[in-house]
Amino acid sequence: QVQLVESGGGLVQAGGSLRLSCAASGRTFSSYAMGWFRQAPGKEREFVAAISWSGITTYYADSVKGRFTISRDNAKNTVYLQMNSLKPEDTAVYYCAASPPSRLRDLRGPYDYWGQGTQVTVSS
């Protein structure tokens, strides 16, 4: 079992930056692939970014490529999402997810474990 807790969300003006963190419990964190997803009001949850267990491979949605960076610190059991040049359309609840690589079709999912989410609001 893995428990995930997101933090770092908030209100920011367009063009600003935020860094989300996802702290994971469990000794198996370093062997899990990690992903970030988001869900805006009235929309389906969508993939944002993911990182392999080693941190060597990353994958991004086209909508955030060049603006967001995913990283991980296995010593701290934490994955990060650095979000720069934020736009109002980035407003959503952001969720962290984890899964053993063997359970994934690819880095976009499907993921087994989910956090509760953290709200990101970008004002224009």
Side-chain angles (χ1 to χ4, degrees), residues 77-99:
N77 278 15
T78 302
V79 64
Y80 304 96
L81 185 68
Q82 178 67 43
M83 305 186 296
N84 298 328
S85 302
L86 283 162
K87 305 175 181 179
E89 50 264 43
D90 294 318
T91 295
V93 177
Y94 282 71
Y95 298 91
C96 174
S99 189

Side-chain angles (χ1 to χ4, degrees), residues 38-61:
R38 66 187 182 187
Q39 187 167 18
K43 295 187 177 180
E44 293 187 352
R45 186 168 58 193
E46 64 175 357
F47 170 80
V48 175
I51 189 166
S52 62
W53 67 270
S54 65
I56 292 176
T57 303
T58 58
Y59 190 79
Y60 297 92

Side-chain angles (χ1 to χ4, degrees), residues 12 22 34 36 48 50 53 59 61 70-71 73 77 95 118-119:
V12 64
C22 173
M34 302 295 296
W36 284 98
V48 175
W53 67 270
Y59 190 79
I70 189 171
S71 61
D73 185 338
N77 278 15
Y95 298 91
T118 185
Q119 176 71 46

